[in-house]
């Protein structure tokens, strides 16, 4: 059996177990809550997510360093960077456009009961200037804080210097090439634990969430869910086909593994090791492109998040009886795009970003309290969309630069992990 199949079975089984615990009220019993849901399940899931996080910084650094040194013409870096950024912005704009139009058309949130709002305490977000300044930092500090943008900048600069440094540069390159292989080995080892972890994570989420929360917010929930699925299964495949001529079906099939990791972890950052492996070994993208576009995308490209924010803004405006003006809508588009650039791919980052969007659009921040209860479930789904977007753009850019091995792309068995 392939590992991906095992993970999917584990996900479904975990969700079912969680639902059973919730529906039978077993999760309300203290022993089950303390020892099973918040004990066993929590520890297993969290250990796995932390193991992925353990890999992210060294993996991004080493693999991007190797990627940069493998580019025979350093000028290519500019062209890859420019195209990647343009496509990331384009996909986010499409996501927002579709989400806002649809949410406004169906009037999501009209008639919602705001008297039940549990409220929301604003959390500290980053200003645009802070984001700009965080691009360059002491590398040790950036690594310790998980500031991936600064790690990316450092890895590229060091990679470029290594190619210019003659013999000394070659020695460093050889060392990191070997290091890269060792880290990829560790990625593989850790991935074998994924089915158990995903089972535990989903069992905990569903045991705690239940179905009542979804019932009361079904309009919002299913609008976001439907749009996320539409974006992943219609917009990305269309873009991939039109802009690169690659088969969308093959792409979606090969993304199954990475998508289930994103779903289980709710973090694009923690999923980087898996997305990167999928791009290079399953989809045939050259490391020199993927090692840049995947971590870059995990940090700045969040189309699923943009969809949630578009719908949430309209939902909150309608719930509070505010008629959004055209200027406010333009503000939402601008702020949500900027916010998705400035935030890290970690769980619930989208909610913190939503504060800024609401603030600029002149809407009440405490409105976030209305949608808080079911955000965990939507976070899982939008993270899956976020990384699918990163991989789509990666394939389009790689293909346009002649950095894609189409035999690997078309080979169904390429990079499959078997148990
Ligand atoms: N969890 C999402 C991600 O990592 C961000 C969000 O909260 O929307 O991509």
């Amino acid at each position: 059996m392939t590992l991906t199949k095992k993970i999917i079975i584990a996900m479904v089984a975990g969700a079912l177990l969680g639902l059973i615990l919730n529906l039978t009220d077993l999760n309300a019993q203290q022993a089950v809550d303390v020892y099973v849901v918040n004990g066993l399940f929590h520890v297993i899931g969290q250990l796995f997510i932390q193991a992925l996080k353990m890999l992210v910084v060294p993996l991004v650094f080493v693999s991007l360093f190797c990627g940069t040194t493998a580019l025979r013409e350093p000028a290519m870096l500019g062209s890859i960077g420019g195209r990647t950024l343009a496509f990331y912005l384009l996909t986010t704009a499409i996501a927002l456009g579709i989400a806002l139009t649809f949410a406004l058309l169906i009037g999501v949130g009209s008639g919602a009961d705001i008297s039940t709002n549990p409220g929301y305490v604003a959390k500290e977000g980053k200003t645009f200037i802070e984001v700009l300044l965080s691009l360059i930092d002491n590398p040790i500090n950036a690594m310790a804080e998980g500031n991936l943008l600064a790690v990316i900048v450092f890895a590229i600069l060091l990679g470029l210097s290594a190619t210019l440094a003659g013999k000394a540069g070659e020695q460093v390159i050889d060392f990191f090439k070997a290091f890269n292989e060792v880290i990829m080995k560790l990625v593989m080892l850790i991935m074998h634990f994924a089915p158990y972890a995903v089972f535990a994570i989903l069992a905990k989420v569903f045991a705690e969430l239940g179905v009542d929360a979804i019932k009361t917010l079904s309009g919002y929930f299913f609008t976001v869910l439907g749009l996320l699925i539409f974006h992943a299964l219609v917009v990305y495949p269309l873009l991939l086909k039109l802009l690169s001529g690659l088969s969308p079906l093959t792409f979606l099939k090969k993304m199954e593994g990475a998508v289930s990791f994103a779903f289980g972890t709710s973090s694009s950052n923690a999923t980087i090791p898996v997305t990167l492996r999928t791009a290079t070994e399953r989809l045939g993208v050259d490391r020199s492109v993927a090692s840049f576009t995947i971590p870059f995308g995990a940090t700045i490209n969040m189309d699923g998040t943009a969809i949630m924010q578009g719908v949430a803004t309209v939902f909150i405006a309608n719930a509070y009886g505010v008629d959004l003006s055209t200027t406010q809508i333009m503000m939402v588009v601008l702020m949500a795009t900027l916010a998705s650039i400035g935030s890290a791919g970690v769980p619930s980052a989208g909610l913190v970003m939503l504060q800024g969007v609401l603030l600029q659009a002149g809407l009440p921040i405490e409105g976030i309290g209305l949608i808080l209860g079911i955000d965990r479930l939507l976070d899982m789904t939008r993270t899956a969309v976020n990384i699918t977007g990163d991989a789509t753009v990666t394939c389009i850019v790689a293909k346009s630069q002649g950095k894609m091995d189409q035999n690997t792309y078309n080979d169904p068995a390429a990079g499959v992990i078997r148990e």
Side-chain angles (χ1 to χ4, degrees):
M1 196 191 272
T2 63
L3 181 63
T4 305
K5 219 176 240 161
K6 254 191 162 177
I7 294 176
I8 294 172
I9 294 173
M11 262 164 83
V12 176
L16 282 178
L17 176 66
L19 271 179
I20 292 172
L21 288 178
N22 186 283
L23 292 174
T24 53
D25 272 339
L26 264 175
N27 68 315
Q29 289 188 11
Q30 212 198 349
V32 177
D33 180 42
V34 174
Y35 296 114
V36 183
V37 177
N38 280 299
L40 192 66
F41 292 166
H42 176 67
V43 171
I44 294 179
Q46 208 47 39
L47 272 180
F48 181 72
I49 291 178
Q50 279 171 217
L52 285 175
K53 280 195 192 157
M54 168 182 88
L55 289 173
V56 170
V57 168
L59 177 69
V60 167
F61 173 70
V62 175
S63 118
L64 190 51
F65 174 87
C66 293
T68 310
T69 57
L71 275 179
R72 257 165 268 125
E73 307 151 61
M76 211 165 179
L77 208 70
S79 142
I80 293 175
R83 271 166 203 249
T84 307
L85 185 64
F87 281 123
Y88 280 157
L89 289 177
L90 175 78
T91 52
T92 307
I94 296 177
L96 266 171
I98 296 178
L100 282 170
T101 313
F102 191 76
L104 285 167
L105 272 180
I106 64 163
V108 66
S110 312
D113 179 9
I114 54 173
S115 65
T116 55
N117 188 353
Y120 175 77
V121 184
K123 297 197 180 72
E124 194 93 8
K126 274 189 189 166
T127 65
F128 186 62
I129 294 187
E130 279 171 342
V131 173
L132 212 59
L133 288 179
S134 69
L135 283 179
I136 296 184
D137 195 3
N138 165 351
I140 306 292
N141 193 35
M143 288 180 185
E145 287 183 353
N147 171 4
L148 283 187
L149 286 181
V151 175
I152 290 175
V153 171
F154 178 63
I156 291 179
L157 291 179
L158 203 69
L160 287 177
S161 340
T163 52
L164 299 173
K167 185 108 184 63
E170 276 165 31
Q171 283 172 347
V172 178
I173 293 171
D174 283 344
F175 169 75
F176 277 124
K177 265 192 192 155
F179 197 4
N180 198 18
E181 274 178 41
V182 175
I183 294 190
M184 283 317 282
K185 192 85 210 154
L186 189 54
V187 171
M188 291 280 290
L189 289 176
I190 289 177
M191 277 168 76
H192 284 289
F193 291 98
Y196 310 100
V198 172
F199 175 83
I201 293 171
L202 285 219
K204 177 171 186 284
V205 168
F206 278 87
E208 289 179 340
L209 187 80
V211 272
D212 283 349
I214 299 178
K215 260 193 232 149
T216 43
L217 278 170
S218 59
Y220 168 76
F221 181 80
F222 287 109
T223 305
V224 178
L225 195 66
L227 288 169
L228 287 174
I229 295 174
F230 177 80
H231 204 68
L233 299 186
V234 178
V235 177
Y236 290 145
L238 267 178
L239 286 175
L240 192 69
K241 187 79 203 161
L242 291 176
L243 297 170
S244 69
L246 293 165
S247 154
L249 271 184
T250 309
F251 172 81
L252 290 174
K253 189 95 202 65
K254 294 195 170 195
M255 283 300 291
E256 270 176 0
V259 161
S260 32
F261 267 77
F263 195 79
T265 58
S266 288
S267 168
S268 306
N269 278 11
T271 313
I272 288 175
V274 190
T275 325
L276 191 56
R277 189 184 174 279
T278 304
T280 51
E281 297 189 22
R282 299 271 290 131
L283 296 165
V285 176
D286 198 276
R287 183 162 294 279
S288 59
V289 174
S291 62
F292 168 69
T293 55
I294 296 294
F296 190 45
T299 327
I300 75 149
N301 183 48
M302 294 179 190
D303 303 340
T305 306
I307 289 176
M308 177 279 282
Q309 292 184 339
V311 180
T313 310
V314 178
F315 176 84
I316 291 170
N318 281 336
Y320 281 83
V322 180
D323 251 338
L324 284 173
S325 65
T326 318
T327 330
Q328 275 174 310
I329 294 174
M330 298 304 289
M331 207 47 167
V332 173
V333 174
L334 183 72
M335 281 310 295
T337 312
L338 286 181
S340 96
I341 296 176
S343 233
V346 295
S348 292
L351 279 188
V352 181
M353 285 144 60
L354 184 59
Q355 291 176 178
V357 180
L358 293 176
L359 206 65
Q360 289 301 320
L363 292 167
I365 288 183
E366 59 285 3
I368 296 180
L370 290 172
I371 54 171
L372 212 56
I374 49 160
D375 193 65
R376 183 69 170 84
L377 213 51
L378 289 176
D379 196 0
M380 301 169 100
T381 322
R382 66 182 182 249
T383 307
V385 174
N386 289 347
I387 65 123
T388 308
D390 302 341
T392 306
V393 170
T394 297
C395 286
I396 294 173
V397 171
K399 182 82 197 312
S400 74
Q401 301 278 344
K403 294 276 181 193
M404 172 161 240
D405 176 1
Q406 225 152 316
N407 289 336
T408 308
Y409 188 93
N410 292 328
D411 174 8
V416 169
I417 307 176
R418 289 190 187 279
E419 288 286 270

